[in-house]
């Protein structure tokens, strides 16, 4: 998750290049010579493709491990290091601030040292961050480690594996100490570092910088020794040349009238995705269950399992049900989940059906995360990749991503303070934001499934 760093990040080039071979495997197998060794040759080709894909998604799993760390460890870290609520809120939220910096700078780093180099640097930051957290004796080193892991995860963005990483951290965090959980975060980073030694560099990056021999060698390693890569190599070269001829868009260009509607949709979806409460709830799930009176371990495990299952189902439905219906159903579910959870806190605070309040709270949180995973989590990114003309896609995607990370930081930092102000009021506030999201999607967001860019732009301008 092209011409420059922003276009490459907006279109997830790192992972796309690794997924293309899987999609076109049948075509390439036709290029393998018939004979006794053909089956072995195909297996060898597939091994490099699968390994490259595995390495790419390991980074996203590492992302999820970082994001899921703060929820099961909140009580233990605050007790062991005597952190105040404000200090732990800073620790939890600074991850997203680091990711914001990582997302901005990783493209430039990739331009200079390649995709493999950028992923190596990111993994190095993650490892250093986890070690800092493990050895922390106070808030400063803890925050430095969290910031470093955030910076490292800023380059990774494969949704399903992020959710898997979060869920695994939630589950094993109920059994491990917070220091031991930090060590487990190093595992996917180590696997990634080893894998990067084996897999080839990005062919597109090599072609972009005129490394012809390395470009062909990398492409052949991905496609197979006997594959005919001449046609694909020519296509890549033509695509790069075309992009080079496009005018370089600047941030101010986004405010031209012809682009303003698309930018409003992309940025608006990011705003509603984050300010609907997801990172506050995700980062502090265990404390929500504890404060509602429900067993935190049980609730966290159920939450983690549900998140992966629903995310996988959402990925399968996105091209069948369409983008807009999925977002709308998801947003309705988010409103319902927030209202249920808010009602449980209200009942507990006012002594109404106190015994039923914990069950109502966990039901609300599970409805919320199920609804978010089904649509609002991934679909806005898909829509964003489809609504921007290619000449502004990079800078527009960067703006939307920056807004998204800022929203993630603001939500995760303020959550504990909002809960101290009013536990049920916090969820009523999130419900109101998600209700506004429904109105926004109905009025402004077009359906993009199966449509060309021209058709999408016509629909946007007509709304």
């Amino acid at each position: 998750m092209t011409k420059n760093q922003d276009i490459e990040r907006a279109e997830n080039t790192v992972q796309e290049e690794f997924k293309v071979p899987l999609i076109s495997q049948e075509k390439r197998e036709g290029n393998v010579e018939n004979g006794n060794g053909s089956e072995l040759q195909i297996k060898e080709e597939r091994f490099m493709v699968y390994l490259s894909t595995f390495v790419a998604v390991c980074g996203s799993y590492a992302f999820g491990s970082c994001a899921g760390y703060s929820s099961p460890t909140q009580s233990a870290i605050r007790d062991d290091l005597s952190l105040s609520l404000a200090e732990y809120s800073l620790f939890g939220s600074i991850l997203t601030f680091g990711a914001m910096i990582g997302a901005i700078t990783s493209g430039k780093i990739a331009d200079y040292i390649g995709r493999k180099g950028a992923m190596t640097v990111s993994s190095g930051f993650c490892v250093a961050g986890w070690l800092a957290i493990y050895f922390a004796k106070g808030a400063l080193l803890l925050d430095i480690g969290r910031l470093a892991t955030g910076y490292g995860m800023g380059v990774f963005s494969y949704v399903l594996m992020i959710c898997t990483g979060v869920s695994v951290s939630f589950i094993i965090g109920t059994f491990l100490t917070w220091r031991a959980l930090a060590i487990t975060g190093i595992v996917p980073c180590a696997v990634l570092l080893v894998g990067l030694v084996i897999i080839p560099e990005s062919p597109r990056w090599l072609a972009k910088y005129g490394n012809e021999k390395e470009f062909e060698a990398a492409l052949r390693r991905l496609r197979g020794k006997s594959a005919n890569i001449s046609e694909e190599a020519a296509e890549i070269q033509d695509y790069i040349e075309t992009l080079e001829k496009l005018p370089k868009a600047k941030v101010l260009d986004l405010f031209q009238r012809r682009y303003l509607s698309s930018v409003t949709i992309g940025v608006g979806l990011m705003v509603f995705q984050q300010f609907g409460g997801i990172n506050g709830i995700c980062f502090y799930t265990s404390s929500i269950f504890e404060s509602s009176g429900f067993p935190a371990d049980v609730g966290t495990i159920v939450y983690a399992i549900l998140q992966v299952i629903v995310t996988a189902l959402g990925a399968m439905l996105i091209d069948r049900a369409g983008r807009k219906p999925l977002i709308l159903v998801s947003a309705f579910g988010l409103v319902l989940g927030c209202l249920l959870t808010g009602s449980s806190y209200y009942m507990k605070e006012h002594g109404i059906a106190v015994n039923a309040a914990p069950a109502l709270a966990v039901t609300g949180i599970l409805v919320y995360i199920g609804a978010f995973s089904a649509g609002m989590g991934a679909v806005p990114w898909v829509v964003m990749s489809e609504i921007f003309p290619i000449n502004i896609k990079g800078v527009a995607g960067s703006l939307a991503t920056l807004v998204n990370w800022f929203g993630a930081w603001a939500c995760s930092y303020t959550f504990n303070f909002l809960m101290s102000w009013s536990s049920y009021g916090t969820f009523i506030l999130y419900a109101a934001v998600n209700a506004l999201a429904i109105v926004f999607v109905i009025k402004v967001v077009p359906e993009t499934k199966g449509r060309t860019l021209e058709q999408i732009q016509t629909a946007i301008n007509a709304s």
Side-chain angles (χ1 to χ4, degrees):
M1 113 92 141
T2 55
K3 181 178 179 181
N4 55 37
Q5 60 171 18
D6 296 325
I7 290 180
E8 287 158 344
R9 286 200 51 75
E11 295 184 329
N12 294 320
T13 302
V14 172
Q15 289 151 8
E16 286 301 318
E17 289 176 357
F18 293 151
K19 287 185 281 186
V20 166
L22 294 174
I23 297 171
S24 58
Q25 184 69 45
E26 182 178 348
K27 178 180 178 180
R28 290 197 312 281
E29 287 175 7
N31 294 323
V32 178
E33 293 181 1
N34 293 327
N36 295 331
S38 61
E39 185 176 349
L40 178 61
Q41 179 68 38
I42 291 171
K43 288 181 179 180
E44 290 177 356
E45 293 176 26
R46 287 178 174 173
F47 171 76
M48 185 54 65
V49 170
Y50 294 149
L51 179 62
S52 299
T53 305
F54 176 73
V55 169
V57 299
C58 268
S60 294
Y61 181 89
F63 184 140
S65 298
C66 297
Y69 180 77
S70 60
S71 176
T73 59
Q74 180 172 355
S75 297
I77 291 178
R78 288 191 64 188
D79 292 343
D80 288 355
L81 302 183
S82 301
L83 299 185
S84 67
L85 182 64
E87 288 174 323
Y88 194 81
S89 295
L90 177 61
F91 168 72
S93 63
I94 203 171
L95 176 84
T96 55
F97 189 79
M100 190 189 309
I101 300 172
I104 294 171
T105 61
S106 61
K108 274 291 185 187
I109 294 173
D111 279 345
Y112 285 115
I113 61 177
R115 304 296 166 264
K116 286 176 62 176
M119 294 177 78
T120 301
V121 170
S122 297
S123 298
F125 270 93
C126 284
V127 170
W130 283 122
L131 290 175
I133 292 172
Y134 177 80
F135 289 109
K137 300 296 182 182
L140 180 60
L141 191 56
L142 201 67
D143 290 342
I144 291 173
R146 185 75 166 166
L147 183 67
T149 57
Y151 179 87
M153 80 181 201
V155 73
F156 304 124
S157 55
Y158 191 64
V159 175
L160 181 57
M161 287 306 296
I162 292 174
C163 292
T164 303
V166 170
S167 296
V168 171
S169 292
F170 276 17
I171 293 172
I172 64 176
T174 61
F175 305 106
L176 299 178
T177 66
W178 64 272
R179 294 187 190 275
L181 185 60
I183 291 298
T184 66
I186 297 176
V187 174
C189 300
V191 173
L192 178 62
L193 288 170
V194 173
L196 287 171
V197 176
I198 303 172
I199 65 173
E201 178 57 90
S202 159
R204 289 179 186 270
W205 182 81
L206 292 169
K208 178 181 176 182
Y209 287 94
N211 299 318
E212 295 296 332
K213 292 183 179 180
E214 294 86 348
F215 161 62
E216 292 184 5
L219 192 59
R220 192 170 295 282
R221 286 189 66 190
L222 287 170
R223 303 305 191 248
K225 294 180 180 179
S226 301
N228 181 1
I229 63 170
S230 58
E231 182 179 349
E232 184 176 5
E235 289 176 356
I236 292 174
Q237 294 283 15
D238 290 343
Y239 183 61
I240 290 173
E241 291 175 6
T242 300
L243 287 178
E244 290 292 342
K245 295 176 182 177
L246 291 174
K248 294 182 178 180
K250 299 178 181 179
V251 175
L252 291 178
D253 294 335
L254 301 180
F255 299 97
Q256 295 179 21
R257 186 171 184 178
R258 56 179 170 168
Y259 300 136
L260 197 56
S261 295
S262 296
V263 173
T264 300
I265 293 169
V267 171
L269 286 174
M270 297 297 108
V271 168
F272 287 116
Q273 183 195 63
Q274 291 301 326
F275 285 93
I278 181 57
N279 274 296
I281 293 171
C282 177
F283 281 19
Y284 309 110
T285 303
S286 293
S287 66
I288 295 173
F289 289 137
E290 287 178 4
S291 61
S292 68
F294 192 87
D297 292 353
V298 176
T300 299
I301 291 173
V302 175
Y303 175 109
I305 295 171
L306 179 66
Q307 180 176 236
V308 174
I309 294 173
V310 177
T311 300
L313 291 174
M316 291 187 290
L317 288 173
I318 191 168
D319 282 325
R320 297 183 181 180
R323 285 48 158 161
K324 191 168 182 175
L326 270 182
I327 297 179
L328 285 174
V329 171
S330 176
F332 275 109
L334 293 175
V335 172
L336 177 60
C338 288
L339 291 177
L340 289 173
T341 307
S343 298
S344 74
Y345 278 109
Y346 184 87
M347 291 163 58
K348 183 179 179 181
E349 187 172 321
H350 291 82
I352 304 171
V354 176
N355 292 332
L360 190 61
V362 73
T363 300
I365 292 298
L366 294 180
V367 169
Y368 181 96
I369 192 57
F372 185 87
S373 300
M376 190 61 80
V379 180
W381 294 100
V382 176
V383 173
M384 189 181 73
S385 72
E386 295 172 333
I387 60 173
F388 296 133
I390 193 168
N391 61 308
I392 67 160
K393 183 170 287 189
V395 67
S398 293
L399 176 63
T401 300
L402 189 64
V403 170
N404 184 277
W405 281 121
F406 174 78
W409 170 79
C411 183
S412 58
Y413 181 72
T414 59
F415 179 80
N416 285 323
F417 298 108
L418 287 172
M419 290 291 285
S420 298
W421 160 68
S422 173
S423 52
Y424 67 85
T426 299
F427 286 94
I428 297 302
L429 179 63
Y430 290 155
V433 173
N434 288 306
L436 289 175
I438 294 173
V439 176
F440 178 80
V441 173
I442 292 174
K443 294 289 186 179
V444 180
V445 179
E447 177 57 69
T448 60
K449 173 192 170 187
R451 292 187 177 183
T452 64
L453 178 61
E454 290 74 17
Q455 292 171 328
I456 293 170
Q457 290 298 313
T458 300
I460 290 174
N461 294 329
S463 62

